[in-house]
Amino acid sequence: MQENWNNKHIVFFDGECGVCNFWVQWILERDKNDQFMFASLQSEFGQKFLSERDLETKQFNTMYLWKPKSYYLTKSQAVLKIANLLGGIYKLAVMGKLFPSFFRDKIYDKISENRMKLANQKCYLPTPQQRKKFIEI
């Protein structure tokens, strides 16, 4: 299985959060170069990722972007990298780097705190092709 995702960027997200699921769907629809795979932080795979890095395993208020054998990013850094990888007009998000990361992360944290209030709690059902991009659904 690892060969399927070893050269991908893996987005770890809160699988029980409507806002997070919205953004996963948003990325799926724009991932024209098949660069991303997804795993919920609650999954066995997500928990292993967190544990191996001594990251919080019970709170799921942070999104992670992991490029195996390269790096992992959190919060606003992950968001900006995803936008950059999607390319096109989304590359303009790089302008967010004009603001210091502590400031960007404060905004990220504020959204994260209120995400359950903001979320449309509809369950997203990926297409069969999109399902292949999920690790341990």
Side-chain angles (χ1 to χ4, degrees), residues 1-2 4-5 10-16 21 24 37-50 52 66 126 130-137:
M1 165 110 178
Q2 184 167 354
N4 293 340
W5 50 264
I10 300 170
V11 177
F12 290 94
F13 65 99
D14 181 350
E16 297 175 358
N21 282 289
V24 166
M37 293 193 74
F38 304 87
S40 84
L41 290 165
Q42 293 91 336
S43 70
E44 185 178 326
F45 186 75
Q47 288 291 294
K48 183 177 182 221
F49 169 83
L50 295 170
E52 287 175 350
W66 179 43
Q130 290 172 331
R131 251 186 236 119
K132 295 175 186 174
K133 293 183 163 215
F134 287 83
I135 301 169
E136 292 187 358
I137 289 184

PDB file of all heavy atoms in Angstrom, residues 1-2 4-5 10-16 21 24 37-50 52 66 126 130-137:
ATOM      1  N   MET A   1       0.817  -1.199   0.000  1.00  0.00           N
ATOM      2  CA  MET A   1       0.000   0.000   0.000  1.00  0.00           C
ATOM      3  C   MET A   1       0.859   1.261   0.000  1.00  0.00           C
ATOM      4  O   MET A   1       0.519   2.231  -0.630  1.00  0.00           O
ATOM      5  CB  MET A   1      -0.907  -0.035   1.232  1.00  0.00           C
ATOM      6  CG  MET A   1      -1.540   1.278   1.553  1.00  0.00           C
ATOM      7  SD  MET A   1      -3.277   1.234   1.224  1.00  0.00           S
ATOM      8  CE  MET A   1      -3.739   2.846   1.725  1.00  0.00           C
ATOM      9  N   GLN A   2       1.974   1.247   0.720  1.00  0.00           N
ATOM     10  CA  GLN A   2       2.788   2.451   0.847  1.00  0.00           C
ATOM     11  C   GLN A   2       3.250   2.975  -0.501  1.00  0.00           C
ATOM     12  O   GLN A   2       3.323   4.182  -0.694  1.00  0.00           O
ATOM     13  CB  GLN A   2       3.992   2.206   1.751  1.00  0.00           C
ATOM     14  CG  GLN A   2       4.804   3.463   1.981  1.00  0.00           C
ATOM     15  CD  GLN A   2       5.800   3.314   3.091  1.00  0.00           C
ATOM     16  OE1 GLN A   2       5.845   2.329   3.774  1.00  0.00           O
ATOM     17  NE2 GLN A   2       6.621   4.327   3.260  1.00  0.00           N
ATOM     18  N   ASN A   4       1.644   3.305  -3.036  1.00  0.00           N
ATOM     19  CA  ASN A   4       0.581   4.146  -3.588  1.00  0.00           C
ATOM     20  C   ASN A   4       0.673   5.590  -3.121  1.00  0.00           C
ATOM     21  O   ASN A   4       0.192   6.483  -3.794  1.00  0.00           O
ATOM     22  CB  ASN A   4      -0.797   3.591  -3.208  1.00  0.00           C
ATOM     23  CG  ASN A   4      -1.078   2.262  -3.860  1.00  0.00           C
ATOM     24  OD1 ASN A   4      -0.461   1.904  -4.848  1.00  0.00           O
ATOM     25  ND2 ASN A   4      -2.008   1.519  -3.300  1.00  0.00           N
ATOM     26  N   TRP A   5       1.250   5.825  -1.948  1.00  0.00           N
ATOM     27  CA  TRP A   5       1.261   7.177  -1.413  1.00  0.00           C
ATOM     28  C   TRP A   5       2.640   7.720  -1.099  1.00  0.00           C
ATOM     29  O   TRP A   5       2.780   8.858  -0.675  1.00  0.00           O
ATOM     30  CB  TRP A   5       0.365   7.295  -0.185  1.00  0.00           C
ATOM     31  CG  TRP A   5       0.576   6.265   0.877  1.00  0.00           C
ATOM     32  CD1 TRP A   5      -0.130   5.113   1.045  1.00  0.00           C
ATOM     33  CD2 TRP A   5       1.539   6.296   1.936  1.00  0.00           C
ATOM     34  NE1 TRP A   5       0.344   4.419   2.129  1.00  0.00           N
ATOM     35  CE2 TRP A   5       1.370   5.128   2.703  1.00  0.00           C
ATOM     36  CE3 TRP A   5       2.537   7.192   2.303  1.00  0.00           C
ATOM     37  CZ2 TRP A   5       2.147   4.839   3.808  1.00  0.00           C
ATOM     38  CZ3 TRP A   5       3.316   6.900   3.413  1.00  0.00           C
ATOM     39  CH2 TRP A   5       3.111   5.734   4.143  1.00  0.00           C
ATOM     40  N   ILE A  10       0.294  13.909   1.706  1.00  0.00           N
ATOM     41  CA  ILE A  10      -0.825  13.366   2.467  1.00  0.00           C
ATOM     42  C   ILE A  10      -1.378  14.459   3.381  1.00  0.00           C
ATOM     43  O   ILE A  10      -0.638  15.055   4.166  1.00  0.00           O
ATOM     44  CB  ILE A  10      -0.402  12.129   3.273  1.00  0.00           C
ATOM     45  CG1 ILE A  10       0.102  11.063   2.297  1.00  0.00           C
ATOM     46  CG2 ILE A  10      -1.570  11.614   4.113  1.00  0.00           C
ATOM     47  CD1 ILE A  10       0.773   9.888   2.936  1.00  0.00           C
ATOM     48  N   VAL A  11      -2.675  14.698   3.247  1.00  0.00           N
ATOM     49  CA  VAL A  11      -3.371  15.669   4.071  1.00  0.00           C
ATOM     50  C   VAL A  11      -4.054  14.905   5.202  1.00  0.00           C
ATOM     51  O   VAL A  11      -4.894  14.047   4.959  1.00  0.00           O
ATOM     52  CB  VAL A  11      -4.428  16.446   3.250  1.00  0.00           C
ATOM     53  CG1 VAL A  11      -5.193  17.411   4.140  1.00  0.00           C
ATOM     54  CG2 VAL A  11      -3.774  17.169   2.081  1.00  0.00           C
ATOM     55  N   PHE A  12      -3.663  15.216   6.442  1.00  0.00           N
ATOM     56  CA  PHE A  12      -4.307  14.645   7.625  1.00  0.00           C
ATOM     57  C   PHE A  12      -5.306  15.674   8.139  1.00  0.00           C
ATOM     58  O   PHE A  12      -4.966  16.845   8.315  1.00  0.00           O
ATOM     59  CB  PHE A  12      -3.276  14.342   8.718  1.00  0.00           C
ATOM     60  CG  PHE A  12      -2.364  13.203   8.379  1.00  0.00           C
ATOM     61  CD1 PHE A  12      -1.141  13.441   7.778  1.00  0.00           C
ATOM     62  CD2 PHE A  12      -2.721  11.896   8.664  1.00  0.00           C
ATOM     63  CE1 PHE A  12      -0.282  12.394   7.466  1.00  0.00           C
ATOM     64  CE2 PHE A  12      -1.877  10.839   8.356  1.00  0.00           C
ATOM     65  CZ  PHE A  12      -0.656  11.085   7.757  1.00  0.00           C
ATOM     66  N   PHE A  13      -6.529  15.239   8.400  1.00  0.00           N
ATOM     67  CA  PHE A  13      -7.605  16.150   8.768  1.00  0.00           C
ATOM     68  C   PHE A  13      -8.503  15.500   9.807  1.00  0.00           C
ATOM     69  O   PHE A  13      -8.482  14.279   9.994  1.00  0.00           O
ATOM     70  CB  PHE A  13      -8.427  16.519   7.523  1.00  0.00           C
ATOM     71  CG  PHE A  13      -9.149  15.336   6.928  1.00  0.00           C
ATOM     72  CD1 PHE A  13     -10.488  15.121   7.200  1.00  0.00           C
ATOM     73  CD2 PHE A  13      -8.480  14.420   6.121  1.00  0.00           C
ATOM     74  CE1 PHE A  13     -11.145  14.020   6.675  1.00  0.00           C
ATOM     75  CE2 PHE A  13      -9.126  13.319   5.593  1.00  0.00           C
ATOM     76  CZ  PHE A  13     -10.471  13.114   5.872  1.00  0.00           C
ATOM     77  N   ASP A  14      -9.296  16.324  10.477  1.00  0.00           N
ATOM     78  CA  ASP A  14     -10.277  15.841  11.451  1.00  0.00           C
ATOM     79  C   ASP A  14     -11.445  15.254  10.686  1.00  0.00           C
ATOM     80  O   ASP A  14     -12.216  15.976  10.053  1.00  0.00           O
ATOM     81  CB  ASP A  14     -10.726  16.988  12.349  1.00  0.00           C
ATOM     82  CG  ASP A  14     -11.738  16.563  13.404  1.00  0.00           C
ATOM     83  OD1 ASP A  14     -12.256  15.426  13.354  1.00  0.00           O
ATOM     84  OD2 ASP A  14     -12.021  17.392  14.293  1.00  0.00           O
ATOM     85  N   GLY A  15     -11.573  13.951  10.730  1.00  0.00           N
ATOM     86  CA  GLY A  15     -12.613  13.260   9.982  1.00  0.00           C
ATOM     87  C   GLY A  15     -14.021  13.516  10.482  1.00  0.00           C
ATOM     88  O   GLY A  15     -14.987  13.165   9.820  1.00  0.00           O
ATOM     89  N   GLU A  16     -14.166  14.142  11.649  1.00  0.00           N
ATOM     90  CA  GLU A  16     -15.491  14.407  12.204  1.00  0.00           C
ATOM     91  C   GLU A  16     -15.889  15.872  12.072  1.00  0.00           C
ATOM     92  O   GLU A  16     -16.886  16.293  12.622  1.00  0.00           O
ATOM     93  CB  GLU A  16     -15.515  13.985  13.675  1.00  0.00           C
ATOM     94  CG  GLU A  16     -15.288  12.498  13.831  1.00  0.00           C
ATOM     95  CD  GLU A  16     -15.179  12.062  15.280  1.00  0.00           C
ATOM     96  OE1 GLU A  16     -15.244  12.923  16.188  1.00  0.00           O
ATOM     97  OE2 GLU A  16     -15.016  10.863  15.509  1.00  0.00           O
ATOM     98  N   ASN A  21     -13.907  18.478   6.282  1.00  0.00           N
ATOM     99  CA  ASN A  21     -14.396  17.666   5.167  1.00  0.00           C
ATOM    100  C   ASN A  21     -14.694  18.522   3.943  1.00  0.00           C
ATOM    101  O   ASN A  21     -14.462  18.089   2.819  1.00  0.00           O
ATOM    102  CB  ASN A  21     -15.616  16.849   5.592  1.00  0.00           C
ATOM    103  CG  ASN A  21     -15.208  15.646   6.407  1.00  0.00           C
ATOM    104  OD1 ASN A  21     -14.645  14.703   5.889  1.00  0.00           O
ATOM    105  ND2 ASN A  21     -15.469  15.706   7.709  1.00  0.00           N
ATOM    106  N   VAL A  24     -11.333  19.107   2.344  1.00  0.00           N
ATOM    107  CA  VAL A  24     -10.856  17.893   1.677  1.00  0.00           C
ATOM    108  C   VAL A  24     -11.540  17.771   0.318  1.00  0.00           C
ATOM    109  O   VAL A  24     -10.891  17.524  -0.701  1.00  0.00           O
ATOM    110  CB  VAL A  24     -11.108  16.638   2.542  1.00  0.00           C
ATOM    111  CG1 VAL A  24     -10.940  15.358   1.727  1.00  0.00           C
ATOM    112  CG2 VAL A  24     -10.174  16.636   3.748  1.00  0.00           C
ATOM    113  N   MET A  37      -3.211  12.659  -1.201  1.00  0.00           N
ATOM    114  CA  MET A  37      -3.990  11.585  -0.608  1.00  0.00           C
ATOM    115  C   MET A  37      -4.432  12.115   0.752  1.00  0.00           C
ATOM    116  O   MET A  37      -3.904  13.127   1.229  1.00  0.00           O
ATOM    117  CB  MET A  37      -3.189  10.294  -0.492  1.00  0.00           C
ATOM    118  CG  MET A  37      -2.873   9.719  -1.870  1.00  0.00           C
ATOM    119  SD  MET A  37      -2.275   8.039  -1.841  1.00  0.00           S
ATOM    120  CE  MET A  37      -3.769   7.142  -1.471  1.00  0.00           C
ATOM    121  N   PHE A  38      -5.379  11.429   1.374  1.00  0.00           N
ATOM    122  CA  PHE A  38      -6.000  11.954   2.581  1.00  0.00           C
ATOM    123  C   PHE A  38      -6.136  10.862   3.629  1.00  0.00           C
ATOM    124  O   PHE A  38      -6.367   9.705   3.298  1.00  0.00           O
ATOM    125  CB  PHE A  38      -7.393  12.514   2.253  1.00  0.00           C
ATOM    126  CG  PHE A  38      -7.341  13.558   1.175  1.00  0.00           C
ATOM    127  CD1 PHE A  38      -7.407  13.205  -0.163  1.00  0.00           C
ATOM    128  CD2 PHE A  38      -7.206  14.889   1.500  1.00  0.00           C
ATOM    129  CE1 PHE A  38      -7.343  14.158  -1.165  1.00  0.00           C
ATOM    130  CE2 PHE A  38      -7.136  15.854   0.507  1.00  0.00           C
ATOM    131  CZ  PHE A  38      -7.205  15.491  -0.815  1.00  0.00           C
ATOM    132  N   ALA A  39      -6.011  11.274   4.890  1.00  0.00           N
ATOM    133  CA  ALA A  39      -6.234  10.351   6.004  1.00  0.00           C
ATOM    134  C   ALA A  39      -6.780  11.147   7.181  1.00  0.00           C
ATOM    135  O   ALA A  39      -6.293  12.251   7.467  1.00  0.00           O
ATOM    136  CB  ALA A  39      -4.940   9.656   6.409  1.00  0.00           C
ATOM    137  N   SER A  40      -7.793  10.610   7.827  1.00  0.00           N
ATOM    138  CA  SER A  40      -8.311  11.305   9.004  1.00  0.00           C
ATOM    139  C   SER A  40      -7.325  11.097  10.155  1.00  0.00           C
ATOM    140  O   SER A  40      -6.632  10.072  10.237  1.00  0.00           O
ATOM    141  CB  SER A  40      -9.702  10.795   9.372  1.00  0.00           C
ATOM    142  OG  SER A  40      -9.626   9.640  10.144  1.00  0.00           O
ATOM    143  N   LEU A  41      -7.270  12.088  11.012  1.00  0.00           N
ATOM    144  CA  LEU A  41      -6.389  11.999  12.178  1.00  0.00           C
ATOM    145  C   LEU A  41      -6.859  10.914  13.140  1.00  0.00           C
ATOM    146  O   LEU A  41      -6.066  10.368  13.902  1.00  0.00           O
ATOM    147  CB  LEU A  41      -6.324  13.355  12.884  1.00  0.00           C
ATOM    148  CG  LEU A  41      -5.584  14.429  12.106  1.00  0.00           C
ATOM    149  CD1 LEU A  41      -5.877  15.812  12.666  1.00  0.00           C
ATOM    150  CD2 LEU A  41      -4.093  14.159  12.107  1.00  0.00           C
ATOM    151  N   GLN A  42      -8.146  10.573  13.092  1.00  0.00           N
ATOM    152  CA  GLN A  42      -8.690   9.548  13.972  1.00  0.00           C
ATOM    153  C   GLN A  42      -8.368   8.135  13.491  1.00  0.00           C
ATOM    154  O   GLN A  42      -8.477   7.187  14.265  1.00  0.00           O
ATOM    155  CB  GLN A  42     -10.213   9.699  14.086  1.00  0.00           C
ATOM    156  CG  GLN A  42     -10.653  10.951  14.798  1.00  0.00           C
ATOM    157  CD  GLN A  42     -10.879  12.131  13.861  1.00  0.00           C
ATOM    158  OE1 GLN A  42     -10.329  12.208  12.774  1.00  0.00           O
ATOM    159  NE2 GLN A  42     -11.695  13.072  14.303  1.00  0.00           N
ATOM    160  N   SER A  43      -7.978   7.990  12.236  1.00  0.00           N
ATOM    161  CA  SER A  43      -7.707   6.655  11.693  1.00  0.00           C
ATOM    162  C   SER A  43      -6.439   6.065  12.314  1.00  0.00           C
ATOM    163  O   SER A  43      -5.621   6.778  12.906  1.00  0.00           O
ATOM    164  CB  SER A  43      -7.533   6.730  10.171  1.00  0.00           C
ATOM    165  OG  SER A  43      -6.311   7.385   9.843  1.00  0.00           O
ATOM    166  N   GLU A  44      -6.280   4.785  12.153  1.00  0.00           N
ATOM    167  CA  GLU A  44      -5.069   4.121  12.647  1.00  0.00           C
ATOM    168  C   GLU A  44      -3.828   4.742  12.007  1.00  0.00           C
ATOM    169  O   GLU A  44      -2.827   4.991  12.669  1.00  0.00           O
ATOM    170  CB  GLU A  44      -5.144   2.623  12.339  1.00  0.00           C
ATOM    171  CG  GLU A  44      -3.998   1.822  12.923  1.00  0.00           C
ATOM    172  CD  GLU A  44      -4.139   0.343  12.629  1.00  0.00           C
ATOM    173  OE1 GLU A  44      -5.274  -0.169  12.582  1.00  0.00           O
ATOM    174  OE2 GLU A  44      -3.084  -0.308  12.445  1.00  0.00           O
ATOM    175  N   PHE A  45      -3.902   5.015  10.721  1.00  0.00           N
ATOM    176  CA  PHE A  45      -2.796   5.627   9.992  1.00  0.00           C
ATOM    177  C   PHE A  45      -2.500   7.026  10.543  1.00  0.00           C
ATOM    178  O   PHE A  45      -1.350   7.403  10.752  1.00  0.00           O
ATOM    179  CB  PHE A  45      -3.137   5.689   8.497  1.00  0.00           C
ATOM    180  CG  PHE A  45      -2.026   6.176   7.621  1.00  0.00           C
ATOM    181  CD1 PHE A  45      -0.938   5.369   7.325  1.00  0.00           C
ATOM    182  CD2 PHE A  45      -2.066   7.452   7.085  1.00  0.00           C
ATOM    183  CE1 PHE A  45       0.089   5.821   6.497  1.00  0.00           C
ATOM    184  CE2 PHE A  45      -1.052   7.915   6.262  1.00  0.00           C
ATOM    185  CZ  PHE A  45       0.035   7.095   5.973  1.00  0.00           C
ATOM    186  N   GLY A  46      -3.550   7.812  10.774  1.00  0.00           N
ATOM    187  CA  GLY A  46      -3.397   9.157  11.322  1.00  0.00           C
ATOM    188  C   GLY A  46      -2.814   9.132  12.724  1.00  0.00           C
ATOM    189  O   GLY A  46      -1.918   9.922  13.065  1.00  0.00           O
ATOM    190  N   GLN A  47      -3.286   8.222  13.543  1.00  0.00           N
ATOM    191  CA  GLN A  47      -2.778   8.106  14.911  1.00  0.00           C
ATOM    192  C   GLN A  47      -1.308   7.683  14.919  1.00  0.00           C
ATOM    193  O   GLN A  47      -0.519   8.184  15.723  1.00  0.00           O
ATOM    194  CB  GLN A  47      -3.624   7.110  15.712  1.00  0.00           C
ATOM    195  CG  GLN A  47      -5.000   7.635  16.064  1.00  0.00           C
ATOM    196  CD  GLN A  47      -4.936   8.756  17.081  1.00  0.00           C
ATOM    197  OE1 GLN A  47      -4.539   8.554  18.223  1.00  0.00           O
ATOM    198  NE2 GLN A  47      -5.314   9.961  16.662  1.00  0.00           N
ATOM    199  N   LYS A  48      -0.946   6.805  14.008  1.00  0.00           N
ATOM    200  CA  LYS A  48       0.463   6.394  13.906  1.00  0.00           C
ATOM    201  C   LYS A  48       1.335   7.582  13.498  1.00  0.00           C
ATOM    202  O   LYS A  48       2.409   7.797  14.066  1.00  0.00           O
ATOM    203  CB  LYS A  48       0.597   5.255  12.894  1.00  0.00           C
ATOM    204  CG  LYS A  48       1.998   4.721  12.768  1.00  0.00           C
ATOM    205  CD  LYS A  48       2.051   3.540  11.804  1.00  0.00           C
ATOM    206  CE  LYS A  48       3.470   3.020  11.764  1.00  0.00           C
ATOM    207  NZ  LYS A  48       3.925   2.665  10.468  1.00  0.00           N
ATOM    208  N   PHE A  49       0.875   8.358  12.517  1.00  0.00           N
ATOM    209  CA  PHE A  49       1.601   9.551  12.084  1.00  0.00           C
ATOM    210  C   PHE A  49       1.830  10.483  13.269  1.00  0.00           C
ATOM    211  O   PHE A  49       2.945  10.965  13.495  1.00  0.00           O
ATOM    212  CB  PHE A  49       0.810  10.265  10.980  1.00  0.00           C
ATOM    213  CG  PHE A  49       1.328  11.638  10.653  1.00  0.00           C
ATOM    214  CD1 PHE A  49       2.397  11.803   9.791  1.00  0.00           C
ATOM    215  CD2 PHE A  49       0.741  12.773  11.214  1.00  0.00           C
ATOM    216  CE1 PHE A  49       2.882  13.078   9.488  1.00  0.00           C
ATOM    217  CE2 PHE A  49       1.216  14.037  10.910  1.00  0.00           C
ATOM    218  CZ  PHE A  49       2.292  14.193  10.054  1.00  0.00           C
ATOM    219  N   LEU A  50       0.779  10.755  14.033  1.00  0.00           N
ATOM    220  CA  LEU A  50       0.887  11.661  15.177  1.00  0.00           C
ATOM    221  C   LEU A  50       1.815  11.101  16.244  1.00  0.00           C
ATOM    222  O   LEU A  50       2.699  11.810  16.752  1.00  0.00           O
ATOM    223  CB  LEU A  50      -0.505  11.924  15.777  1.00  0.00           C
ATOM    224  CG  LEU A  50      -1.497  12.673  14.882  1.00  0.00           C
ATOM    225  CD1 LEU A  50      -2.891  12.648  15.503  1.00  0.00           C
ATOM    226  CD2 LEU A  50      -1.033  14.099  14.646  1.00  0.00           C
ATOM    227  N   GLU A  52       4.238   8.872  16.076  1.00  0.00           N
ATOM    228  CA  GLU A  52       5.650   8.792  15.665  1.00  0.00           C
ATOM    229  C   GLU A  52       6.354  10.141  15.762  1.00  0.00           C
ATOM    230  O   GLU A  52       7.579  10.200  15.818  1.00  0.00           O
ATOM    231  CB  GLU A  52       5.756   8.270  14.231  1.00  0.00           C
ATOM    232  CG  GLU A  52       5.461   6.804  14.108  1.00  0.00           C
ATOM    233  CD  GLU A  52       5.455   6.308  12.667  1.00  0.00           C
ATOM    234  OE1 GLU A  52       5.501   7.138  11.721  1.00  0.00           O
ATOM    235  OE2 GLU A  52       5.379   5.079  12.475  1.00  0.00           O
ATOM    236  N   TRP A  66       1.874  16.135   4.899  1.00  0.00           N
ATOM    237  CA  TRP A  66       3.085  15.316   5.010  1.00  0.00           C
ATOM    238  C   TRP A  66       3.545  14.854   3.638  1.00  0.00           C
ATOM    239  O   TRP A  66       2.761  14.297   2.864  1.00  0.00           O
ATOM    240  CB  TRP A  66       2.795  14.113   5.896  1.00  0.00           C
ATOM    241  CG  TRP A  66       3.923  13.171   6.097  1.00  0.00           C
ATOM    242  CD1 TRP A  66       5.239  13.466   6.347  1.00  0.00           C
ATOM    243  CD2 TRP A  66       3.842  11.744   6.120  1.00  0.00           C
ATOM    244  NE1 TRP A  66       5.971  12.317   6.521  1.00  0.00           N
ATOM    245  CE2 TRP A  66       5.136  11.239   6.375  1.00  0.00           C
ATOM    246  CE3 TRP A  66       2.793  10.839   5.936  1.00  0.00           C
ATOM    247  CZ2 TRP A  66       5.411   9.881   6.461  1.00  0.00           C
ATOM    248  CZ3 TRP A  66       3.066   9.492   6.033  1.00  0.00           C
ATOM    249  CH2 TRP A  66       4.372   9.021   6.294  1.00  0.00           C
ATOM    250  N   PRO A 126     -17.309  10.745  -1.291  1.00  0.00           N
ATOM    251  CA  PRO A 126     -16.424  10.847  -2.454  1.00  0.00           C
ATOM    252  C   PRO A 126     -16.823   9.861  -3.546  1.00  0.00           C
ATOM    253  O   PRO A 126     -17.425   8.829  -3.277  1.00  0.00           O
ATOM    254  CB  PRO A 126     -15.045  10.496  -1.888  1.00  0.00           C
ATOM    255  CG  PRO A 126     -15.305   9.740  -0.637  1.00  0.00           C
ATOM    256  CD  PRO A 126     -16.642  10.183  -0.127  1.00  0.00           C
ATOM    257  N   GLN A 130     -12.266   9.173  -6.315  1.00  0.00           N
ATOM    258  CA  GLN A 130     -11.744   9.956  -5.198  1.00  0.00           C
ATOM    259  C   GLN A 130     -11.470   9.071  -3.983  1.00  0.00           C
ATOM    260  O   GLN A 130     -10.532   9.316  -3.234  1.00  0.00           O
ATOM    261  CB  GLN A 130     -12.718  11.073  -4.820  1.00  0.00           C
ATOM    262  CG  GLN A 130     -12.804  12.166  -5.861  1.00  0.00           C
ATOM    263  CD  GLN A 130     -13.903  13.159  -5.563  1.00  0.00           C
ATOM    264  OE1 GLN A 130     -14.915  12.835  -4.944  1.00  0.00           O
ATOM    265  NE2 GLN A 130     -13.725  14.382  -6.038  1.00  0.00           N
ATOM    266  N   ARG A 131     -12.258   8.027  -3.785  1.00  0.00           N
ATOM    267  CA  ARG A 131     -12.066   7.124  -2.649  1.00  0.00           C
ATOM    268  C   ARG A 131     -10.674   6.497  -2.647  1.00  0.00           C
ATOM    269  O   ARG A 131     -10.120   6.200  -1.604  1.00  0.00           O
ATOM    270  CB  ARG A 131     -13.118   6.017  -2.675  1.00  0.00           C
ATOM    271  CG  ARG A 131     -14.114   6.197  -1.582  1.00  0.00           C
ATOM    272  CD  ARG A 131     -15.080   5.028  -1.497  1.00  0.00           C
ATOM    273  NE  ARG A 131     -16.405   5.615  -1.611  1.00  0.00           N
ATOM    274  CZ  ARG A 131     -17.274   5.365  -2.551  1.00  0.00           C
ATOM    275  NH1 ARG A 131     -17.026   4.479  -3.465  1.00  0.00           N
ATOM    276  NH2 ARG A 131     -18.417   5.978  -2.576  1.00  0.00           N
ATOM    277  N   LYS A 132     -10.108   6.315  -3.827  1.00  0.00           N
ATOM    278  CA  LYS A 132      -8.765   5.739  -3.937  1.00  0.00           C
ATOM    279  C   LYS A 132      -7.704   6.625  -3.312  1.00  0.00           C
ATOM    280  O   LYS A 132      -6.588   6.182  -3.050  1.00  0.00           O
ATOM    281  CB  LYS A 132      -8.418   5.480  -5.405  1.00  0.00           C
ATOM    282  CG  LYS A 132      -9.278   4.437  -6.058  1.00  0.00           C
ATOM    283  CD  LYS A 132      -8.958   4.317  -7.530  1.00  0.00           C
ATOM    284  CE  LYS A 132      -9.921   3.379  -8.230  1.00  0.00           C
ATOM    285  NZ  LYS A 132      -9.713   3.371  -9.671  1.00  0.00           N
ATOM    286  N   LYS A 133      -8.020   7.882  -3.073  1.00  0.00           N
ATOM    287  CA  LYS A 133      -7.064   8.832  -2.519  1.00  0.00           C
ATOM    288  C   LYS A 133      -7.078   8.861  -0.999  1.00  0.00           C
ATOM    289  O   LYS A 133      -6.349   9.617  -0.381  1.00  0.00           O
ATOM    290  CB  LYS A 133      -7.347  10.242  -3.060  1.00  0.00           C
ATOM    291  CG  LYS A 133      -7.092  10.358  -4.534  1.00  0.00           C
ATOM    292  CD  LYS A 133      -7.310  11.773  -4.973  1.00  0.00           C
ATOM    293  CE  LYS A 133      -6.680  11.984  -6.322  1.00  0.00           C
ATOM    294  NZ  LYS A 133      -6.126  13.307  -6.447  1.00  0.00           N
ATOM    295  N   PHE A 134      -7.949   8.069  -0.399  1.00  0.00           N
ATOM    296  CA  PHE A 134      -8.039   8.041   1.053  1.00  0.00           C
ATOM    297  C   PHE A 134      -7.309   6.833   1.611  1.00  0.00           C
ATOM    298  O   PHE A 134      -7.446   5.718   1.114  1.00  0.00           O
ATOM    299  CB  PHE A 134      -9.500   8.013   1.511  1.00  0.00           C
ATOM    300  CG  PHE A 134     -10.192   9.327   1.326  1.00  0.00           C
ATOM    301  CD1 PHE A 134     -10.732   9.683   0.104  1.00  0.00           C
ATOM    302  CD2 PHE A 134     -10.284  10.224   2.371  1.00  0.00           C
ATOM    303  CE1 PHE A 134     -11.354  10.893  -0.090  1.00  0.00           C
ATOM    304  CE2 PHE A 134     -10.902  11.449   2.198  1.00  0.00           C
ATOM    305  CZ  PHE A 134     -11.446  11.774   0.980  1.00  0.00           C
ATOM    306  N   ILE A 135      -6.556   7.083   2.650  1.00  0.00           N
ATOM    307  CA  ILE A 135      -5.836   6.019   3.344  1.00  0.00           C
ATOM    308  C   ILE A 135      -6.678   5.645   4.552  1.00  0.00           C
ATOM    309  O   ILE A 135      -6.989   6.497   5.385  1.00  0.00           O
ATOM    310  CB  ILE A 135      -4.441   6.489   3.762  1.00  0.00           C
ATOM    311  CG1 ILE A 135      -3.641   6.913   2.541  1.00  0.00           C
ATOM    312  CG2 ILE A 135      -3.719   5.402   4.546  1.00  0.00           C
ATOM    313  CD1 ILE A 135      -2.354   7.624   2.834  1.00  0.00           C
ATOM    314  N   GLU A 136      -7.091   4.396   4.632  1.00  0.00           N
ATOM    315  CA  GLU A 136      -7.902   3.880   5.735  1.00  0.00           C
ATOM    316  C   GLU A 136      -9.181   4.663   5.937  1.00  0.00           C
ATOM    317  O   GLU A 136      -9.379   5.312   6.954  1.00  0.00           O
ATOM    318  CB  GLU A 136      -7.117   3.865   7.046  1.00  0.00           C
ATOM    319  CG  GLU A 136      -6.012   2.870   7.043  1.00  0.00           C
ATOM    320  CD  GLU A 136      -5.362   2.760   8.405  1.00  0.00           C
ATOM    321  OE1 GLU A 136      -5.757   3.481   9.323  1.00  0.00           O
ATOM    322  OE2 GLU A 136      -4.474   1.940   8.525  1.00  0.00           O
ATOM    323  N   ILE A 137     -10.056   4.627   4.978  1.00  0.00           N
ATOM    324  CA  ILE A 137     -11.372   5.271   5.163  1.00  0.00           C
ATOM    325  C   ILE A 137     -12.132   4.471   6.181  1.00  0.00           C
ATOM    326  O   ILE A 137     -12.180   3.287   6.146  1.00  0.00           O
ATOM    327  CB  ILE A 137     -12.145   5.343   3.833  1.00  0.00           C
ATOM    328  CG1 ILE A 137     -11.491   6.347   2.926  1.00  0.00           C
ATOM    329  CG2 ILE A 137     -13.582   5.706   4.081  1.00  0.00           C
ATOM    330  CD1 ILE A 137     -12.220   6.584   1.631  1.00  0.00           C
TER     331      ILE A 137
END
